[in-house]
Short mmCIF file of all heavy atoms in Angstrom, two decimals:
data_model
loop_
_atom_site.label_atom_id
_atom_site.label_comp_id
_atom_site.label_asym_id
_atom_site.label_seq_id
_atom_site.Cartn_x
_atom_site.Cartn_y
_atom_site.Cartn_z
N VAL I 1 -130.62 111.45 87.99
CA VAL I 1 -131.38 110.19 87.70
C VAL I 1 -131.73 109.46 89.01
O VAL I 1 -132.15 108.32 88.94
CB VAL I 1 -130.58 109.23 86.80
CG1 VAL I 1 -130.39 109.89 85.41
CG2 VAL I 1 -129.22 108.92 87.44
N HIS I 2 -131.64 110.20 90.18
CA HIS I 2 -131.76 109.40 91.41
C HIS I 2 -132.98 109.93 92.26
O HIS I 2 -133.86 109.18 92.54
CB HIS I 2 -130.50 109.53 92.24
CG HIS I 2 -129.29 108.85 91.60
ND1 HIS I 2 -129.27 107.56 91.32
CD2 HIS I 2 -128.20 109.40 91.18
CE1 HIS I 2 -128.15 107.20 90.78
NE2 HIS I 2 -127.47 108.34 90.68
N ASP I 3 -133.05 111.20 92.68
CA ASP I 3 -134.15 111.68 93.53
C ASP I 3 -134.39 113.10 93.27
O ASP I 3 -133.71 113.79 92.41
CB ASP I 3 -133.77 111.41 94.97
CG ASP I 3 -132.50 112.04 95.45
OD1 ASP I 3 -131.96 112.93 94.70
OD2 ASP I 3 -132.03 111.76 96.51
N VAL I 4 -135.34 113.68 94.05
CA VAL I 4 -135.71 115.06 93.88
C VAL I 4 -135.63 115.71 95.28
O VAL I 4 -135.98 115.10 96.27
CB VAL I 4 -137.20 115.16 93.38
CG1 VAL I 4 -137.57 116.68 93.23
CG2 VAL I 4 -137.32 114.50 92.04
N ASP I 5 -135.06 116.92 95.33
CA ASP I 5 -134.86 117.62 96.57
C ASP I 5 -135.65 118.94 96.63
O ASP I 5 -135.59 119.73 95.66
CB ASP I 5 -133.35 117.91 96.82
CG ASP I 5 -132.50 116.62 96.90
OD1 ASP I 5 -133.07 115.58 97.44
OD2 ASP I 5 -131.36 116.67 96.51
N PHE I 6 -136.26 119.20 97.75
CA PHE I 6 -136.86 120.51 98.05
C PHE I 6 -136.39 121.06 99.28
O PHE I 6 -136.15 120.36 100.27
CB PHE I 6 -138.49 120.34 98.08
CG PHE I 6 -139.05 120.11 96.70
CD1 PHE I 6 -139.31 118.83 96.32
CD2 PHE I 6 -139.51 121.12 95.96
CE1 PHE I 6 -139.85 118.60 95.08
CE2 PHE I 6 -140.06 120.93 94.75
CZ PHE I 6 -140.27 119.65 94.31
N MET I 7 -136.17 122.45 99.34
CA MET I 7 -135.66 123.07 100.52
C MET I 7 -136.89 123.76 101.20
O MET I 7 -137.65 124.49 100.60
CB MET I 7 -134.59 124.13 100.19
CG MET I 7 -133.62 123.66 99.09
SD MET I 7 -132.68 122.20 99.60
CE MET I 7 -131.59 122.84 100.75
N LEU I 8 -137.01 123.48 102.52
CA LEU I 8 -138.10 124.03 103.29
C LEU I 8 -137.53 124.49 104.63
O LEU I 8 -136.55 123.88 105.11
CB LEU I 8 -139.25 123.07 103.49
CG LEU I 8 -140.08 122.64 102.36
CD1 LEU I 8 -139.44 121.40 101.63
CD2 LEU I 8 -141.45 122.24 102.81
N ARG I 9 -138.26 125.35 105.26
CA ARG I 9 -137.96 125.72 106.68
C ARG I 9 -138.37 124.54 107.60
O ARG I 9 -139.44 123.89 107.26
CB ARG I 9 -138.61 127.04 107.09
CG ARG I 9 -138.16 128.21 106.35
CD ARG I 9 -139.00 129.47 106.71
NE ARG I 9 -140.33 129.31 106.51
CZ ARG I 9 -141.30 130.27 106.60
NH1 ARG I 9 -140.90 131.48 106.95
NH2 ARG I 9 -142.58 129.97 106.46
N GLU I 10 -137.66 124.33 108.57
CA GLU I 10 -137.91 123.15 109.43
C GLU I 10 -139.37 123.20 109.99
O GLU I 10 -140.08 122.21 110.07
CB GLU I 10 -136.91 123.11 110.62
CG GLU I 10 -137.08 121.80 111.47
CD GLU I 10 -135.97 121.70 112.47
OE1 GLU I 10 -135.26 122.70 112.73
OE2 GLU I 10 -135.81 120.57 113.08
N ASP I 11 -139.86 124.39 110.41
CA ASP I 11 -141.16 124.52 110.93
C ASP I 11 -142.31 124.17 109.91
O ASP I 11 -143.42 123.89 110.32
CB ASP I 11 -141.41 125.94 111.44
CG ASP I 11 -140.55 126.30 112.71
OD1 ASP I 11 -140.09 125.33 113.29
OD2 ASP I 11 -140.44 127.53 112.99
N ASP I 12 -141.99 124.28 108.66
CA ASP I 12 -142.94 123.98 107.61
C ASP I 12 -142.99 122.54 107.18
O ASP I 12 -143.92 122.14 106.45
CB ASP I 12 -142.71 124.86 106.35
CG ASP I 12 -142.90 126.33 106.63
OD1 ASP I 12 -143.77 126.66 107.46
OD2 ASP I 12 -142.24 127.19 105.98
N VAL I 13 -142.03 121.74 107.66
CA VAL I 13 -141.90 120.32 107.20
C VAL I 13 -143.12 119.54 107.64
O VAL I 13 -143.68 118.77 106.75
CB VAL I 13 -140.63 119.74 107.64
CG1 VAL I 13 -140.56 118.24 107.34
CG2 VAL I 13 -139.40 120.40 106.94
N PRO I 14 -143.54 119.56 108.90
CA PRO I 14 -144.67 118.73 109.30
C PRO I 14 -145.91 118.92 108.41
O PRO I 14 -146.64 118.01 107.93
CB PRO I 14 -144.92 119.05 110.70
CG PRO I 14 -143.64 119.60 111.19
CD PRO I 14 -142.97 120.28 110.02
N ARG I 15 -146.23 120.26 108.13
CA ARG I 15 -147.39 120.50 107.32
C ARG I 15 -147.16 120.04 105.89
O ARG I 15 -148.12 119.57 105.23
CB ARG I 15 -147.76 121.97 107.35
CG ARG I 15 -149.00 122.37 106.56
CD ARG I 15 -149.57 123.71 106.94
NE ARG I 15 -150.69 124.02 106.00
CZ ARG I 15 -150.61 124.91 105.08
NH1 ARG I 15 -149.40 125.53 104.81
NH2 ARG I 15 -151.65 125.16 104.31
N ALA I 16 -145.99 120.18 105.38
CA ALA I 16 -145.64 119.70 104.00
C ALA I 16 -145.84 118.19 103.88
O ALA I 16 -146.46 117.73 102.93
CB ALA I 16 -144.28 120.09 103.61
N VAL I 17 -145.40 117.44 104.93
CA VAL I 17 -145.60 116.02 104.88
C VAL I 17 -147.11 115.69 104.91
O VAL I 17 -147.59 114.79 104.21
CB VAL I 17 -144.87 115.36 106.11
CG1 VAL I 17 -145.28 113.93 106.24
CG2 VAL I 17 -143.35 115.62 105.98
N GLU I 18 -147.85 116.51 105.70
CA GLU I 18 -149.30 116.21 105.81
C GLU I 18 -150.05 116.41 104.47
O GLU I 18 -150.79 115.55 104.02
CB GLU I 18 -149.89 117.07 106.86
CG GLU I 18 -151.43 116.92 107.02
CD GLU I 18 -151.99 117.90 108.00
OE1 GLU I 18 -151.24 118.71 108.62
OE2 GLU I 18 -153.24 117.90 108.19
N VAL I 19 -149.79 117.50 103.80
CA VAL I 19 -150.43 117.81 102.53
C VAL I 19 -149.98 116.82 101.46
O VAL I 19 -150.71 116.43 100.59
CB VAL I 19 -150.26 119.27 102.15
CG1 VAL I 19 -150.81 120.25 103.16
CG2 VAL I 19 -148.78 119.63 101.80
N LEU I 20 -148.69 116.46 101.47
CA LEU I 20 -148.18 115.52 100.43
C LEU I 20 -148.82 114.11 100.71
O LEU I 20 -149.16 113.45 99.71
CB LEU I 20 -146.70 115.45 100.54
CG LEU I 20 -145.97 116.70 100.01
CD1 LEU I 20 -144.48 116.62 100.25
CD2 LEU I 20 -146.22 117.00 98.56
N ALA I 21 -148.95 113.77 101.98
CA ALA I 21 -149.57 112.47 102.29
C ALA I 21 -151.09 112.45 101.83
O ALA I 21 -151.51 111.44 101.26
CB ALA I 21 -149.41 112.14 103.78
N ASN I 22 -151.70 113.58 102.00
CA ASN I 22 -153.11 113.67 101.54
C ASN I 22 -153.22 113.63 100.03
O ASN I 22 -154.23 113.30 99.46
CB ASN I 22 -153.74 114.97 102.06
CG ASN I 22 -153.92 115.00 103.57
OD1 ASN I 22 -154.04 113.90 104.17
ND2 ASN I 22 -154.05 116.15 104.13
N ALA I 23 -152.07 114.01 99.34
CA ALA I 23 -152.06 113.92 97.87
C ALA I 23 -151.65 112.59 97.33
O ALA I 23 -151.53 112.46 96.15
CB ALA I 23 -151.11 115.03 97.39
N GLY I 24 -151.38 111.65 98.26
CA GLY I 24 -151.05 110.29 97.86
C GLY I 24 -149.66 109.83 97.92
O GLY I 24 -149.23 108.73 97.70
N LEU I 25 -148.76 110.79 98.46
CA LEU I 25 -147.37 110.43 98.70
C LEU I 25 -147.21 109.61 100.00
O LEU I 25 -148.09 109.81 100.90
CB LEU I 25 -146.43 111.60 98.59
CG LEU I 25 -146.08 112.13 97.23
CD1 LEU I 25 -147.25 112.90 96.63
CD2 LEU I 25 -144.84 113.04 97.30
N ARG I 26 -146.17 108.92 100.16
CA ARG I 26 -145.93 108.01 101.28
C ARG I 26 -144.73 108.50 102.13
O ARG I 26 -143.62 108.37 101.66
CB ARG I 26 -145.70 106.58 100.78
CG ARG I 26 -145.38 105.62 101.91
CD ARG I 26 -145.39 104.20 101.36
NE ARG I 26 -144.62 104.01 100.23
CZ ARG I 26 -143.33 103.66 100.27
NH1 ARG I 26 -142.65 103.49 101.42
NH2 ARG I 26 -142.59 103.54 99.13
N PRO I 27 -144.96 109.05 103.35
CA PRO I 27 -143.89 109.46 104.19
C PRO I 27 -143.11 108.25 104.71
O PRO I 27 -143.84 107.20 104.96
CB PRO I 27 -144.56 110.28 105.32
CG PRO I 27 -146.00 110.55 104.79
CD PRO I 27 -146.32 109.42 103.85
N VAL I 28 -141.86 108.37 104.93
CA VAL I 28 -141.09 107.26 105.60
C VAL I 28 -140.21 107.90 106.63
O VAL I 28 -139.85 109.06 106.63
CB VAL I 28 -140.14 106.60 104.51
CG1 VAL I 28 -141.05 105.85 103.51
CG2 VAL I 28 -139.27 107.47 103.92
#
């Protein structure tokens, strides 16, 4: 009931943040 977790390789995180931000999510 708290949050959602996804496992990614560290090298893929910056691109993941970019595409999620483009989809309307807010990085912090």
Side-chain angles (χ1 to χ4, degrees):
V1 295
H2 297 299
D3 58 12
V4 180
D5 298 327
F6 287 90
M7 318 301 290
L8 292 87
R9 297 176 302 187
E10 186 173 14
D11 290 346
D12 292 328
V13 171
R15 183 162 173 256
V17 172
E18 179 183 357
V19 299
L20 291 173
N22 291 338
L25 280 76
R26 175 170 54 90
V28 296

